[in-house]
Amino acid sequence: MKDPVYKLVELTGTSPNSIEDAVNNAVKRANKTIKNLSWFQVIETRGNLLKGKVHHWQVTLKVGFLVES
Amino acid sequence: MKDPVYKLVELTGTSPNSIEDAVNNAVKRANKTIKNLSWFQVIETRGNLLKGKVHHWQVTLKVGFLVES
Amino acid sequence: MKDPVYKLVELTGTSPNSIEDAVNNAVKRANKTIKNLSWFQVIETRGNLLKGKVHHWQVTLKVGFLVES
Amino acid sequence: MKDPVYKLVELTGTSPNSIEDAVNNAVKRANKTIKNLSWFQVIETRGNLLKGKVHHWQVTLKVGFLVES
Amino acid sequence: MKDPVYKLVELTGTSPNSIEDAVNNAVKRANKTIKNLSWFQVIETRGNLLKGKVHHWQVTLKVGFLVES
Amino acid sequence: MKDPVYKLVELTGTSPNSIEDAVNNAVKRANKTIKNLSWFQVIETRGNLLKGKVHHWQVTLKVGFLVES
Amino acid sequence: MKDPVYKLVELTGTSPNSIEDAVNNAVKRANKTIKNLSWFQVIETRGNLLKGKVHHWQVTLKVGFLVES
Amino acid sequence: MKDPVYKLVELTGTSPNSIEDAVNNAVKRANKTIKNLSWFQVIETRGNLLKGKVHHWQVTLKVGFLVES
Amino acid sequence: MKDPVYKLVELTGTSPNSIEDAVNNAVKRANKTIKNLSWFQVIETRGNLLKGKVHHWQVTLKVGFLVES
Amino acid sequence: MKDPVYKLVELTGTSPNSIEDAVNNAVKRANKTIKNLSWFQVIETRGNLLKGKVHHWQVTLKVGFLVES
Amino acid sequence: MKDPVYKLVELTGTSPNSIEDAVNNAVKRANKTIKNLSWFQVIETRGNLLKGKVHHWQVTLKVGFLVES
Amino acid sequence: MKDPVYKLVELTGTSPNSIEDAVNNAVKRANKTIKNLSWFQVIETRGNLLKGKVHHWQVTLKVGFLVES
């Protein structure tokens, strides 16, 4: 079975700064335990508010990676 | 990297009694192997029918939990 | 043609008590005229309000049943 | 202009017990300040988890009511 | 009735600079008249174009806040 | 903060005649209490039936308007 | 079982003139064989084109009616 | 009323071989009791697994047919 | 390759009068440069508001046409 | 500006045989006039029925290709 | 807790030949490390194109399996 | 026919830096060949990953422009 198979995991990254940082934080964390990270898709962008400001951006993403055979 | 990252897993809990029990069963099972369960979202509510009655409620949910760094 | 074929019908069950009862009422009614009821999926949960309270839960579901060959 | 016009507001009700109670709590609260509540639709069912159990059901619903002319 | 109830309002924030700024502008404006802002969800990201460039980012979000009892 | 912020409200207009009239009725009603109405989007088109005919078109729309700073 | 149960059927009405006429044609046809028609929801609006003009509006709707017990 | 009206029914066809066969099986079964079958749309593609292989493809489709006047 | 292939283009037609006119305007414009227009689907119905009235209906549609081989 | 930009076009391919053939027919036709075809996504699977059988599979897809700078 | 609980994992299977083969490849791979595979649902069908032809079908599916208690 | 008609094209812009840059790159490229660019909507945000980092943000957007009569 030489056709590649990928697995997708769903993560929520957070950051006080930006959507991009929230995604990067989730990807960095995934990279600690998963090899061959290949792509991501943003599923949802939310956040919590504190004192009338965005406190944390919360970005849910799916991350796809190659499953070794 | 101190901003929390969460992982989401998708489960289908079942119960002969109610939607709430089906969710609780899935959460209880998740709690056996996952620490720091944080939230859930109901994705789909279905069930199988036997002899013209609901036999099992089948509720699919996503469960989010904190990934330790 | 021995592979089973199923038909789906869409019903709205109602109940003053709960979502589960609304589903059960729809399934009971379907069972009067349809044999081989097999599964259901909840499509929508609504209700009407009277005097500031839920008067009737209205749950729309699809019910699948085996079509005899 | 005698044709009725309705307004919809979006609320999240919560309850430690059930989806139905979470909806009822939101409706009761709406009824304190809004007259002529007419119908609701469930938009999303989520909840938070504490010590491996559902701590609060969080049900987001739209509530429609007649706007007086 | 001690279980918290939240209300959600829908806003479109705008900014010539970024999605984050458009969200922040909407949240700042909401904070002028609403207490207890709690969370937001991005619903849609659009913008208008002028002379072949993004003139304004237009981000529609739902903002949730605690309704006092 | 000079970047405009808009608020969206959700209404259901009704009319025995047409979808356009149902929208117009909702917009006319909104215009009585809201200044700076700017745009609308149709969310859902439904209606009730009486004696085998459409009795009322019921069109749910979101109406956006400029929030003054 | 005194709580009403409704059934929904899906129809596509057509008309050379308007969306409203296409809906009316579907409802009129349903009324020939179904009693107690109660409500409808528009699901999709399409049409075919002939000689650069709309030839037929094709409107798919769900029609709900009370199931007698 | 000469403008055609169509009805849609929802079916789940199954096959051990392919998506196309599952659709064909549903259409063949529909053709036994319904005249004037006109078009179909695939709604969902699922299947059950047995011993680590696809046992049955289960394809849910809507089938449209002309209602005679 | 004798099996027909169609292309779909997305247009927003506008009209001060009705949804139908907005669709017709888009189709008329498409017909100036595209041959073999075959069908359309309504994707979104919006509009802008001026002085508390609908100023322009804005209907986004996909138009399909046969690609010549 | 060295970051690649892609354009997506929407096509409906048809085939009497299979979903795969319908996709292939659309891709082949696109390849006659577009260079650098890169990926596709299936949007919808439908078909017309004739004499109780699938006459043509109609698969709508988006095809992405690199825009040359 | 005797009511079964299922877990769902999301995979993308690929194949140069067909949608069915892409699904089978993902299921085969899952079967190497997961017991009790029970059902799957197709989530998305895409592919990459090379020299004007489909190079790999890429089918994303959810696979459900029984979680042992 | 003086009512404006708009066309929408779908593009995927890419950038190693941010979502905003990916959108800007797509808009700049469109501006080379299309006059009267008017608005855009973000459809999807994805990206590819290389060495555990976001390599390219890939943002798919629809761009609307006035069609000259």
Side-chain angles (χ1 to χ4, degrees):
Chain A
M1 194 185 78
K2 296 178 183 169
D3 301 315
V5 173
Y6 302 86
K7 187 173 175 185
L8 294 90
V9 292
E10 198 164 350
L11 299 168
T12 300
T14 66
S15 161
N17 301 320
S18 70
I19 297 171
E20 283 83 353
D21 275 8
V23 171
N24 280 323
N25 284 341
V27 171
K28 266 188 233 162
R29 183 63 188 76
N31 193 44
K32 287 186 181 176
T33 52
I34 303 173
K35 282 194 292 190
N36 302 318
L37 295 179
S38 177
W39 85 93
F40 71 96
Q41 313 156 240
V42 172
I43 302 299
E44 192 183 38
T45 303
R46 323 172 40 116
N48 59 347
L49 301 171
L50 203 65
K51 300 183 183 172
K53 294 194 178 173
V54 176
H55 187 241
H56 259 98
W57 295 86
Q58 301 164 331
V59 183
T60 299
L61 57 162
K62 289 189 185 174
V63 177
F65 57 96
L66 188 67
V67 182
E68 302 196 337
S69 56
Chain B
M1 195 185 78
K2 296 178 182 169
D3 302 314
V5 173
Y6 302 86
K7 188 174 175 185
L8 294 90
V9 292
E10 197 163 350
L11 300 167
T12 300
T14 67
S15 160
N17 301 320
S18 70
I19 296 170
E20 284 83 354
D21 275 9
V23 171
N24 280 324
N25 284 341
V27 171
K28 265 188 233 162
R29 184 60 189 77
N31 193 44
K32 288 186 180 176
T33 52
I34 303 174
K35 282 195 291 189
N36 302 318
L37 294 179
S38 178
W39 85 92
F40 71 95
Q41 313 156 241
V42 172
I43 302 299
E44 193 183 37
T45 303
R46 320 171 43 114
N48 59 346
L49 302 170
L50 203 64
K51 299 182 183 174
K53 294 193 177 175
V54 176
H55 187 240
H56 259 97
W57 295 85
Q58 301 164 330
V59 184
T60 299
L61 57 160
K62 288 189 185 174
V63 178
F65 57 96
L66 188 67
V67 182
E68 301 197 335
S69 56
Chain C
M1 194 185 79
K2 295 179 182 169
D3 302 314
V5 174
Y6 301 85
K7 188 174 175 184
L8 294 91
V9 292
E10 197 163 352
L11 300 168
T12 300
T14 66
S15 160
N17 301 320
S18 70
I19 296 170
E20 282 83 354
D21 275 8
V23 170
N24 281 323
N25 284 341
V27 170
K28 265 188 233 164
R29 182 61 188 76
N31 194 43
K32 287 186 179 175
T33 52
I34 302 173
K35 284 195 290 189
N36 302 318
L37 295 179
S38 178
W39 86 92
F40 71 95
Q41 313 156 241
V42 172
I43 302 299
E44 192 184 37
T45 303
R46 319 172 45 115
N48 59 347
L49 302 171
L50 203 64
K51 300 182 182 174
K53 293 193 177 174
V54 177
H55 187 241
H56 259 98
W57 295 84
Q58 301 164 330
V59 183
T60 298
L61 56 162
K62 288 189 186 174
V63 178
F65 57 95
L66 188 67
V67 182
E68 301 196 335
S69 56
Chain D
M1 194 184 76
K2 295 177 183 170
D3 301 314
V5 174
Y6 302 85
K7 187 174 175 185
L8 294 91
V9 292
E10 197 162 352
L11 300 167
T12 301
T14 66
S15 160
N17 301 320
S18 70
I19 296 171
E20 283 82 355
D21 275 9
V23 171
N24 280 323
N25 284 342
V27 170
K28 266 187 232 164
R29 182 62 189 76
N31 193 44
K32 287 186 180 177
T33 52
I34 302 173
K35 284 194 290 191
N36 301 318
L37 294 179
S38 178
W39 86 93
F40 71 96
Q41 313 156 239
V42 173
I43 302 298
E44 192 184 37
T45 302
R46 320 171 44 114
N48 59 347
L49 302 171
L50 203 64
K51 299 181 182 174
K53 292 193 177 174
V54 176
H55 187 241
H56 259 98
W57 294 85
Q58 302 164 331
V59 183
T60 299
L61 56 161
K62 289 190 185 172
V63 177
F65 58 95
L66 188 67
V67 182
E68 301 196 336
S69 56
Chain E
M1 196 186 75
K2 296 180 182 167
D3 300 316
V5 174
Y6 302 86
K7 187 173 175 185
L8 293 91
V9 292
E10 197 164 351
L11 299 168
T12 301
T14 66
S15 160
N17 301 319
S18 70
I19 296 170
E20 283 83 352
D21 275 8
V23 171
N24 280 324
N25 284 342
V27 170
K28 267 188 232 163
R29 182 63 188 76
N31 193 44
K32 288 186 180 177
T33 52
I34 303 173
K35 284 195 290 190
N36 302 318
L37 295 179
S38 176
W39 85 91
F40 71 95
Q41 315 156 239
V42 173
I43 302 299
E44 191 184 37
T45 303
R46 322 173 41 115
N48 58 348
L49 301 171
L50 203 65
K51 299 183 182 170
K53 294 193 177 174
V54 176
H55 187 241
H56 259 97
W57 294 85
Q58 301 165 331
V59 183
T60 298
L61 55 162
K62 290 190 184 173
V63 178
F65 57 95
L66 188 68
V67 182
E68 302 196 335
S69 57
Chain F
M1 195 185 77
K2 295 178 183 169
D3 301 315
V5 173
Y6 302 85
K7 188 174 176 186
L8 293 91
V9 292
E10 197 164 351
L11 300 168
T12 301
T14 66
S15 160
N17 301 320
S18 70
I19 297 171
E20 283 83 353
D21 275 9
V23 170
N24 280 323
N25 284 342
V27 171
K28 266 188 233 163
R29 183 62 190 77
N31 193 44
K32 287 186 181 176
T33 52
I34 303 173
K35 284 195 290 190
N36 302 317
L37 295 179
S38 177
W39 86 92
F40 70 96
Q41 314 156 240
V42 173
I43 302 300
E44 191 183 40
T45 302
R46 319 173 43 116
N48 59 348
L49 301 171
L50 204 64
K51 299 183 182 172
K53 294 193 178 175
V54 176
H55 188 242
H56 259 98
W57 295 86
Q58 301 164 331
V59 183
T60 298
L61 57 161
K62 289 190 185 173
V63 178
F65 57 95
L66 188 68
V67 181
E68 301 197 336
S69 56
Chain G
M1 194 185 76
K2 296 179 183 170
D3 302 314
V5 174
Y6 301 85
K7 188 173 175 186
L8 294 90
V9 291
E10 197 164 350
L11 299 168
T12 300
T14 66
S15 160
N17 300 318
S18 70
I19 296 171
E20 283 83 352
D21 275 9
V23 170
N24 280 324
N25 283 342
V27 170
K28 264 188 235 164
R29 183 62 189 76
N31 194 44
K32 287 186 180 176
T33 52
I34 303 172
K35 283 195 291 189
N36 302 318
L37 294 179
S38 178
W39 86 91
F40 71 96
Q41 313 156 240
V42 173
I43 302 300
E44 192 184 37
T45 303
R46 322 173 38 116
N48 59 347
L49 301 171
L50 202 64
K51 300 182 183 173
K53 294 193 177 174
V54 176
H55 188 240
H56 259 97
W57 294 85
Q58 301 165 330
V59 183
T60 298
L61 56 161
K62 289 190 185 174
V63 178
F65 58 94
L66 188 67
V67 182
E68 302 196 336
S69 56
Chain H
M1 195 185 75
K2 296 177 182 168
D3 301 315
V5 173
Y6 301 86
K7 187 173 176 186
L8 294 90
V9 292
E10 198 163 350
L11 300 168
T12 300
T14 66
S15 160
N17 300 321
S18 70
I19 297 170
E20 283 82 354
D21 275 9
V23 171
N24 280 324
N25 283 342
V27 171
K28 266 188 234 164
R29 184 60 189 77
N31 192 44
K32 286 187 180 176
T33 53
I34 303 173
K35 283 194 290 189
N36 303 317
L37 295 179
S38 177
W39 86 92
F40 70 96
Q41 313 156 240
V42 172
I43 302 300
E44 193 183 36
T45 302
R46 322 173 40 115
N48 59 347
L49 301 171
L50 203 65
K51 300 183 182 171
K53 294 194 179 174
V54 177
H55 188 241
H56 259 98
W57 294 86
Q58 301 164 331
V59 184
T60 298
L61 57 161
K62 289 190 186 173
V63 178
F65 56 95
L66 188 67
V67 182
E68 301 196 337
S69 56
Chain I
M1 194 185 80
K2 296 178 182 170
D3 301 315
V5 173
Y6 302 86
K7 187 174 176 186
L8 294 90
V9 291
E10 198 163 351
L11 300 168
T12 301
T14 67
S15 159
N17 301 319
S18 71
I19 296 170
E20 283 83 353
D21 275 8
V23 171
N24 280 323
N25 283 341
V27 170
K28 266 188 234 163
R29 182 63 189 78
N31 194 43
K32 287 186 182 177
T33 52
I34 303 173
K35 283 195 291 189
N36 302 318
L37 295 178
S38 177
W39 86 91
F40 70 96
Q41 312 156 242
V42 173
I43 301 300
E44 192 183 37
T45 302
R46 320 171 46 115
N48 58 348
L49 302 170
L50 203 67
K51 300 183 182 173
K53 294 194 177 173
V54 176
H55 187 241
H56 259 97
W57 295 86
Q58 301 164 330
V59 183
T60 298
L61 56 161
K62 289 190 186 173
V63 178
F65 57 95
L66 187 67
V67 182
E68 301 197 336
S69 56
Chain J
M1 194 184 79
K2 296 180 183 168
D3 301 315
V5 173
Y6 302 86
K7 188 174 175 185
L8 295 89
V9 292
E10 197 164 351
L11 300 168
T12 301
T14 66
S15 159
N17 301 320
S18 71
I19 296 171
E20 283 83 353
D21 275 8
V23 171
N24 280 324
N25 284 341
V27 171
K28 265 189 235 164
R29 183 62 189 77
N31 193 44
K32 287 187 182 177
T33 53
I34 302 173
K35 283 194 291 189
N36 302 317
L37 295 178
S38 177
W39 85 91
F40 71 94
Q41 313 156 241
V42 172
I43 302 299
E44 192 184 37
T45 303
R46 323 171 40 115
N48 60 345
L49 302 171
L50 202 66
K51 299 183 182 172
K53 295 195 176 172
V54 177
H55 187 241
H56 260 98
W57 295 85
Q58 302 164 330
V59 183
T60 298
L61 57 161
K62 289 190 186 174
V63 177
F65 57 96
L66 188 67
V67 181
E68 302 197 335
S69 56
Chain K
M1 194 185 76
K2 296 178 183 169
D3 301 314
V5 174
Y6 302 86
K7 188 173 175 186
L8 295 89
V9 292
E10 198 163 349
L11 300 168
T12 301
T14 66
S15 160
N17 300 320
S18 70
I19 297 171
E20 283 82 353
D21 274 9
V23 170
N24 280 324
N25 283 341
V27 170
K28 266 188 233 164
R29 183 63 188 75
N31 193 44
K32 288 186 179 175
T33 52
I34 303 173
K35 283 195 290 189
N36 302 317
L37 295 178
S38 177
W39 85 92
F40 70 96
Q41 313 156 240
V42 173
I43 302 299
E44 192 183 37
T45 304
R46 322 172 40 115
N48 59 348
L49 301 171
L50 202 65
K51 300 182 183 172
K53 294 194 178 174
V54 176
H55 187 241
H56 259 97
W57 294 86
Q58 302 165 332
V59 184
T60 298
L61 56 161
K62 289 189 185 173
V63 178
F65 57 96
L66 188 66
V67 182
E68 301 196 335
S69 57
Chain L
M1 195 184 79
K2 296 178 183 169
D3 301 315
V5 173
Y6 302 86
K7 188 173 175 187
L8 294 90
V9 292
E10 197 163 351
L11 300 168
T12 300
T14 66
S15 160
N17 301 320
S18 70
I19 296 171
E20 284 82 354
D21 275 9
V23 171
N24 280 323
N25 283 342
V27 170
K28 266 188 234 165
R29 183 61 190 78
N31 193 45
K32 287 186 182 177
T33 52
I34 302 174
K35 284 194 290 188
N36 302 317
L37 295 178
S38 177
W39 86 91
F40 71 95
Q41 313 156 241
V42 173
I43 302 300
E44 192 184 35
T45 302
R46 320 171 44 114
N48 59 345
L49 301 170
L50 202 65
K51 300 182 182 172
K53 294 194 176 173
V54 176
H55 187 242
H56 259 98
W57 294 86
Q58 301 164 329
V59 183
T60 298
L61 56 161
K62 289 190 186 172
V63 178
F65 57 96
L66 188 67
V67 182
E68 301 197 337
S69 57

